[in-house]
Amino acid sequence: MTAIRLLLVDDDPLVRAGLSFMMGGADDIEIVGEAADGAEVEALVDRTRPDVVLMDIRMPTMDGLTATERLRAREDAPQVVVLTTFHADEQVLHALRAGAAGFVLKDTPPAEIVAAVRRVAAGDPVLSPAVTRQLMRHAVGSAADTRRSRARGRLTVLNDREREVAVAVGRGLANAEIAAGLFMSVATVKTHVSRILAKLDLNNRVQIALLAYDAGLLEGEQEEH
């Protein structure tokens, strides 16, 4: 089994040391580099070719948001998981919109951070439905109407089935749950998700969820929770 190549990015050497220690105990994860600032990330990615980057948000020269945007704009970009001390920070939301695959809190138990790296490397976002809803509620503001109009315009490229799958993704459902609910195979769900990402020029399922929310397709979810 090929080890997951991991790059650590945090301006606090103690945090990096702690992450390195906890990841070092996982046989399937290899730390290929460390950076203390976002400005160092692209050169390190070129040199080390990581599968996943654990990215701090707040750093002095280049913050994690800018670094994430630059990474995700590249071909064959590594997956990015942002590190934060807040559950619903505006910068975390921006990072997710920029293409981060999810986030973990710095005080998350070590086993869960290791599991998050594995999930992201396997192509699964690291956001529970509850956290996704929390971030989405946090996004509501004075620009909500403009955002809704723009999102609805983007979603017009989807056919009815793709739209149903997009809503299900927005609800935080796994592929097997979507397949059962919409009476299709898991393989078909995966195909629809891939087409949705391509049509909307998105990076991952988290961005599908955010766009579905912006379009007002998940308002019932908000009311229920």
Side-chain angles (χ1 to χ4, degrees):
M1 179 178 177
T2 304
I4 298 164
R5 299 174 62 81
L6 178 67
L7 176 64
L8 304 177
V9 184
D10 197 294
D11 64 333
D12 187 335
L14 290 178
V15 172
R16 292 201 310 275
L19 290 170
S20 181
F21 178 77
M22 75 173 69
M23 295 298 171
D27 294 336
D28 59 339
I29 296 176
E30 176 189 1
I31 298 173
V32 295
E34 297 183 14
D37 193 87
E40 305 170 23
V41 171
E42 285 195 90
L44 264 177
V45 166
D46 287 338
R47 191 159 65 246
T48 63
R49 300 294 179 185
D51 301 305
V52 179
V53 179
L54 269 180
M55 180 88 73
D56 188 20
I57 287 290
R58 293 173 176 82
M59 292 178 286
T61 304
M62 181 188 292
D63 62 31
L65 173 59
T66 303
T68 297
E69 289 176 334
R70 291 189 177 188
L71 277 186
R72 295 303 298 170
R74 297 161 53 118
E75 291 186 11
D76 300 321
Q79 296 294 335
V80 177
V81 179
V82 296
L83 289 162
T84 181
T85 54
F86 300 97
H87 283 273
D89 180 81
E90 186 68 25
Q91 287 184 301
V92 173
L93 182 66
H94 288 170
L96 296 175
R97 291 188 186 281
F103 78 89
V104 293
L105 299 174
K106 289 188 177 181
D107 60 358
T108 298
E112 292 182 23
I113 295 182
V114 172
V117 170
R118 289 174 176 148
R119 284 184 57 190
V120 167
D124 295 325
V126 185
L127 285 177
S128 70
V131 171
T132 301
R133 286 191 294 269
Q134 185 180 11
L135 281 167
M136 289 174 175
R137 285 195 293 270
H138 186 68
V140 177
S142 59
D145 289 341
T146 300
R147 198 163 51 238
R148 172 171 294 193
S149 177
R150 187 180 300 119
R152 287 184 172 179
R154 291 184 67 187
L155 290 173
T156 57
V157 301
L158 303 183
N159 61 39
D160 290 343
R161 205 55 163 163
E162 290 165 346
R163 191 182 180 92
E164 289 178 332
V165 172
V167 170
V169 169
R171 290 174 178 153
L173 300 181
N175 287 340
E177 294 172 315
I178 297 173
L182 296 180
F183 305 102
M184 61 177 72
S185 69
V186 172
T188 301
V189 172
K190 291 180 179 179
T191 297
H192 281 310
V193 170
S194 295
R195 287 176 178 168
I196 292 167
L197 291 171
K199 284 185 175 183
L200 298 176
D201 193 25
L202 299 176
N203 285 295
N204 54 46
R205 296 166 73 100
V206 175
Q207 290 183 321
I208 295 175
L210 291 170
L211 188 62
Y213 178 84
D214 284 347
L217 302 181
L218 304 177
E219 288 181 340
E221 297 298 306
Q222 253 194 304
E223 292 169 1
E224 292 171 13
H225 301 275

